[in-house]
């Protein structure tokens, strides 16, 4: 259909009637948005119409704005190569619009120019198009708008972003113009109204593969950026942290220790459970610092670590922020210069658990905190393989000791689960017995942690543990509920090819227990069945369906519940097959 539409519009784009032309651009804008790339073959037919509407003296300002906004959508949704033959015709009329007295036209034109700069010289792939002759078109018009003080706020911001893009893509062609332009960015950084946009533009420039020389503005610029971390504007804090991160990664040889220290003093305050995202970005920046300037980190590690330990022990920590902390600990422990080594970090992480008192006490921290601590300690021991065996031994002894509080036992099991998932722990001969003994613990938390540990330790050593677990499920009715929870962990965390030899045995066992009178047990069986079906959906889903017509109501309800667990957040091969079953 597209060729026919273009053919019909082609003539109308040159008509006198402004209404018709606006209608054409409105239709074309929708087309380019809905079907990215669909107009690639028709660019030669569209360019004359675009240039006509931009240059035509009788065009109203709305006509120009509509044309520019279509051009922006067109440039964003098509490959750069298709425009290269037409840049010569297109660019002058867009640049003229940057100088238009009406601020809305200027603003749209700057947006289009920013996109055109990416098109003229895409840096993410090889390109034969020569961009150099066009720098003299794009740069002066944008610079004039960047310098102007009395213009509309939106034009100011777009001029900054557009110039940032020009320096990012064409900075090596600007020769003597580059440094004076960067000085203007420094001025805009000091202005409250333009500082956020400028921080984003500098982040872009600093990440350019052209390695733009920023040394002349870093000395003055870095303290200004550091001061933004104190401001009560969240977006500014986040953008500044990103800018600092890129600068440290790409310009480490140009930054002096004194500059870095000015930034470091601002960081501890940003790490707080009141704003997990700001904390996460701050900790990611600290990780970069630990890798690039290990000596600076040791100066503040005390104040920063105090805040990070608070986060680890918080019930709110999870996801991205937790992963950022894990990366930071691994980077920190490998710096070798840090005042805090492996054993000190482990001690500080686990301190609240060990100080929680006698064996009778219940858990002192929130359940989530035990998972966070276990993940952090496991990450430290994987970064320091020499220290790991001793830590594993220590935790196995903690579980065995009758003096250990439930809190200590829970942490030990969760740690063994984290390590066991990726490492074969068969060297720990007594581990299996220790876990099974804990199934008889009076504390529900300890039992649940032991089941979690058994499942994850099995993932690291399927050959030894899984047949044993299946045998136990069949022969130990008292422990069955906990063992099924362990099996659920195995099915959830094992790679499909590792599980493949055991699928038949697990399947048979689960169907033996799907008629159990205990609803709790049936629910775990259902979850196991659903997750097991994901291992080989083409074969197992039809077999699961077949069971719907068999057995008791209990068995059928278990199968229906199992289907719930085959529906996942992420796309899976089973999705196409489920369409045929549901509804």
């Amino acid at each position: 259909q597209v060729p026919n539409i273009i053919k019909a519009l082609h003539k109308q784009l040159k008509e006198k009637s402004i209404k018709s032309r606006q209608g054409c651009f409105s239709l074309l804008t929708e087309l380019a948005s809905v079907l990215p790339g669909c107009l690639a073959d028709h660019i030669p037919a569209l360019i004359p119409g675009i240039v006509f509407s931009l240059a035509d003296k009788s065009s109203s300002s709305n006509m120009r704005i509509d044309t520019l906004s279509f051009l922006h959508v067109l440039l964003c949704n098509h490959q750069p190569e298709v425009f290269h033959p037409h840049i010569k015709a297109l660019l002058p009329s867009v640049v003229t619009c940057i100088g238009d007295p009406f601020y809305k036209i200027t603003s749209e034109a700057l947006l289009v120019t920013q996109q055109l700069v990416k098109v003229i010289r895409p840096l993410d792939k090889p390109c034969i198009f020569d961009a150099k002759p066009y720098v003299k078109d794009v740069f002066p018009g944008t610079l004039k708008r960047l310098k102007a003080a009395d213009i509309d706020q939106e034009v100011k911001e777009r001029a900054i972003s557009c110039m940032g893009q020009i320096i990012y893509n064409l900075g090596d062609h600007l020769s003597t113009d580059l440094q004076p332009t960067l000085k203007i960015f420094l001025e805009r950084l000091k202005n409250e109204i333009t500082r956020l946009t400028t921080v984003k533009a500098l982040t872009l420039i600093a990440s350019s593969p052209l390695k733009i020389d920023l040394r002349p503005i870093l000395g003055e610029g870095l303290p200004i950026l550091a001061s933004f971390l104190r401001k009560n504007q969240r977006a500014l804090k986040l953008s500044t942290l990103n800018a600092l991160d890129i600068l440290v990664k790409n310009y480490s040889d140009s930054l002096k220790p004194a500059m870095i220290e000015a930034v470091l003093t601002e960081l501890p305050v940003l790490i707080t459970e009141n704003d997990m995202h700001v904390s996460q970005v701050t900790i990611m920046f600290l990780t970069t610092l630990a890798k690039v300037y290990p000596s600076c980190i040791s100066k503040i590690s005390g104040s920063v670590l105090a805040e990070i330990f608070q986060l680890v022990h918080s019930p709110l920590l999870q996801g991205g922020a937790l992963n950022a902390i894990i990366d930071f600990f691994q980077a920190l422990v490998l710096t070798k210069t840090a005042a805090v080594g492996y054993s000190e970090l482990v001690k500080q992480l686990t301190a609240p658990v060990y100080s929680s008192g006698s064996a009778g006490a219940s858990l002192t921290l929130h359940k989530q905190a035990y998972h966070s601590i276990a993940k952090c300690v496991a990450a430290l021991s994987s970064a320091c393989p020499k220290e790991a065996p001793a830590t594993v031994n220590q935790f196995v002894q903690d579980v065995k000791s009758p003096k250990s509080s439930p809190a200590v036992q829970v942490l030990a099991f969760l740690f063994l689960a984290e390590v066991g998932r990726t490492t074969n722990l068969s060297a720990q001969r007594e581990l299996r017995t220790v876990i099974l003994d804990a199934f008889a613990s009076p504390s529900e938390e300890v039992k649940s942690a032991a089941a979690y540990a058994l499942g994850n330790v099995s993932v690291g050593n399927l050959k030894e543990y899984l047949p044993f677990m299946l045998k136990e499920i069949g022969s130990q009715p008292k422990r069955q509920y906990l063992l099924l929870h362990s099996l659920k962990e195995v099915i959830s965390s094992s790679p499909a090819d590792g599980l493949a030899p055991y699928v038949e045995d697990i399947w048979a066992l689960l169907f033996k227990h799907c008629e159990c009178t205990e609803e709790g047990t049936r629910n775990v069986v259902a979850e196991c069945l659903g997750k097991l079906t994901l291992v080989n959906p083409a074969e197992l889903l039809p077999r699961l369906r077949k069971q719907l017509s068999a057995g008791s109501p209990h068995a059928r309800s278990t199968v229906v519940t199992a289907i719930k667990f085959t529906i996942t957040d992420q796309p899976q091969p089973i999705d196409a097959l489920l369409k045929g079953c549901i509804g």
Side-chain angles (χ1 to χ4, degrees):
Q1 302 247 345
V2 176
N4 297 341
I5 296 175
I6 303 298
K7 203 172 169 189
L9 296 181
H10 181 58
K11 289 196 188 90
Q12 312 229 355
L13 282 175
K14 287 285 187 73
E15 287 216 354
K16 275 278 176 278
S17 156
I18 286 178
K19 277 261 164 66
S20 320
R21 280 187 280 159
Q22 276 179 309
C24 294
F25 282 127
S26 163
L27 172 62
L28 287 165
T29 305
E30 286 301 321
L31 254 182
S33 310
V34 176
L35 277 177
C38 71
L39 299 175
D41 301 339
H42 309 288
I43 304 287
L46 297 172
I47 296 292
I50 294 171
V51 174
F52 174 71
S53 278
L54 289 179
D56 180 25
K57 291 284 177 284
S58 65
S59 284
S60 66
S61 38
N62 279 352
M63 179 72 251
R64 286 207 183 106
I65 291 168
D66 287 355
T67 309
L68 286 165
S69 82
F70 160 63
L71 184 52
H72 183 248
V73 173
L74 187 69
L75 291 166
C76 289
N77 288 314
H78 290 76
Q79 290 301 318
E81 300 78 50
V82 299
F83 299 103
H84 289 163
H86 311 288
I87 296 292
K88 202 171 175 185
L90 199 54
L91 202 57
S93 49
V94 176
V95 172
T96 313
C97 289
I98 296 181
D100 197 277
F102 184 40
Y103 75 93
K104 280 196 166 159
I105 293 182
T106 307
S107 173
E108 279 298 325
L110 284 165
L111 208 56
V112 172
T113 307
Q114 186 175 344
Q115 203 55 40
L116 268 172
V117 170
K118 294 186 203 173
V119 166
I120 293 174
R121 189 180 188 192
L123 293 179
D124 49 359
K125 50 180 169 186
C127 172
I128 43 171
F129 184 74
D130 180 20
K132 199 166 184 194
Y134 301 102
V135 177
K136 63 179 191 317
D137 294 332
V138 183
F139 180 77
T142 309
L143 182 66
K144 192 177 166 194
R145 288 300 183 185
L146 182 68
K147 282 179 172 169
D150 55 343
I151 47 175
D152 178 78
Q153 168 76 11
E154 190 178 83
V155 175
K156 269 186 193 155
E157 290 180 357
R158 287 190 175 169
I160 293 169
S161 304
C162 184
M163 187 56 88
Q165 196 73 53
I166 291 173
I167 297 176
Y168 173 87
N169 289 73
L170 304 166
D172 51 348
H173 293 326
L174 294 178
S175 61
T176 52
D177 288 326
L178 177 64
Q179 292 313 325
T181 311
L182 289 174
K183 284 280 193 286
I184 302 174
F185 275 117
L186 207 51
E187 292 310 309
R188 297 291 171 267
L189 206 53
K190 296 172 188 168
N191 179 333
E192 194 175 327
I193 295 173
T194 51
R195 63 191 180 192
L196 178 59
T197 313
T198 311
V199 170
K200 289 178 176 168
L202 285 172
T203 310
L204 180 69
I205 295 170
S207 65
S208 170
L210 303 175
K211 304 267 177 285
I212 307 297
D213 182 10
L214 293 177
R215 281 173 305 189
I217 63 164
L218 286 178
E220 200 181 335
L222 219 66
I224 299 176
L225 288 173
S227 72
F228 291 166
L229 297 176
R230 261 174 271 154
K231 300 283 186 267
N232 194 10
Q233 187 185 351
R234 188 166 182 267
L236 183 66
K237 276 184 200 166
L238 288 168
S239 297
T240 304
L241 285 164
N242 284 331
L244 288 166
D245 193 53
I246 291 281
L247 285 169
V248 167
K249 277 179 183 151
N250 294 349
Y251 293 86
S252 55
D253 44 357
S254 318
L255 301 175
K256 298 186 176 60
M259 294 184 190
I260 297 293
E261 278 160 34
V263 174
L264 284 176
T265 49
E266 307 294 342
L267 298 178
V269 196
L270 298 178
I271 302 170
T272 150
E273 65 176 10
N274 298 337
D275 191 329
M276 279 297 180
H277 187 56
V278 170
S279 301
Q280 176 182 337
V281 178
T282 307
I283 293 165
M284 285 156 80
F285 175 46
L286 280 164
T287 308
T288 303
L289 285 171
K291 289 174 183 165
V292 181
Y293 297 110
S295 52
C296 287
I297 277 287
S298 53
K299 293 188 178 160
I300 59 144
S301 58
S303 49
V304 162
L305 282 172
E307 300 299 336
I308 292 183
F309 289 136
Q310 286 251 276
L311 268 196
V312 175
H313 301 141
S314 153
L316 305 177
L317 182 69
Q318 54 173 345
L322 175 57
N323 293 335
I325 290 180
I326 288 171
D327 290 344
F328 172 68
F329 279 141
Q330 289 186 318
L332 183 65
V333 81
L334 293 175
T335 55
K336 302 285 183 275
T337 55
V340 251
Y342 175 86
S343 48
E344 184 55 31
L345 283 172
V346 171
K347 193 174 144 196
Q348 299 255 10
L349 277 167
T350 56
V353 180
Y354 282 102
S355 62
S356 64
S358 68
S362 65
L363 299 195
T364 42
L365 294 168
H366 187 277
K367 197 169 159 193
Q368 178 60 39
Y370 290 90
H371 281 277
S372 303
I373 298 170
K375 283 192 160 80
C376 291
V377 178
L380 284 170
S381 61
S382 81
C384 306
K386 287 198 184 105
E387 314 275 357
T391 311
V392 172
N393 273 333
Q394 161 70 46
F395 278 116
V396 172
Q397 295 315 315
D398 281 342
V399 175
K400 280 170 62 183
S401 159
K403 295 197 181 105
S404 296
S405 68
V408 169
Q409 291 185 313
V410 166
L411 176 63
F413 278 132
L414 294 178
F415 167 79
L416 291 167
E418 290 300 325
V419 174
R421 193 180 309 131
T422 49
T423 322
N424 185 335
L425 289 182
S426 53
Q428 293 288 339
R429 285 273 150 248
E430 48 189 7
L431 185 57
R432 191 192 295 178
T433 328
V434 169
I435 293 177
L436 289 176
D437 289 348
F439 279 8
S441 161
S443 157
E444 286 301 322
E445 280 93 356
V446 172
K447 283 198 252 190
S448 154
Y452 182 75
L454 179 61
N456 282 291
V457 169
S458 305
V459 173
N461 187 359
L462 284 175
K463 203 159 73 232
E464 192 177 315
Y465 272 86
L466 191 56
F468 160 76
M469 191 193 294
L470 296 177
K471 193 173 110 234
E472 286 283 302
I473 293 175
S475 61
Q476 298 283 348
K478 277 197 171 146
R479 296 174 176 169
Q480 194 181 54
Y481 179 69
L482 290 167
L483 286 162
L484 283 166
H485 270 287
S486 303
L487 181 60
K488 179 186 81 184
E489 289 302 323
V490 175
I491 296 170
S492 307
S493 304
S494 298
D497 49 350
L499 266 184
Y502 307 101
V503 169
E504 285 307 319
D505 297 343
I506 301 175
W507 188 265
L509 181 84
L510 289 172
F511 271 108
K512 237 189 225 150
H513 294 289
C514 70
E515 304 199 8
C516 177
T517 47
E518 286 286 322
E519 189 182 355
T521 306
R522 286 203 309 276
N523 284 341
V524 190
V525 168
E527 191 170 342
C528 290
L529 273 173
K531 290 183 168 166
L532 187 62
T533 305
L534 293 174
V535 174
N536 181 0
E539 194 180 312
L540 297 177
L541 190 62
R543 286 167 64 178
L544 197 58
R545 268 184 83 173
K546 226 180 185 160
Q547 295 290 339
L548 275 176
S549 51
S552 64
H554 278 336
R556 293 203 299 277
S557 79
T558 307
V559 172
V560 172
T561 313
I563 292 291
K564 182 172 84 180
F565 292 102
T566 62
I567 301 165
T568 50
D569 304 340
Q570 261 49 51
Q572 291 272 7
I574 195 170
D575 296 345
L577 303 167
L578 277 174
K579 281 181 189 158
C581 300
I582 293 177

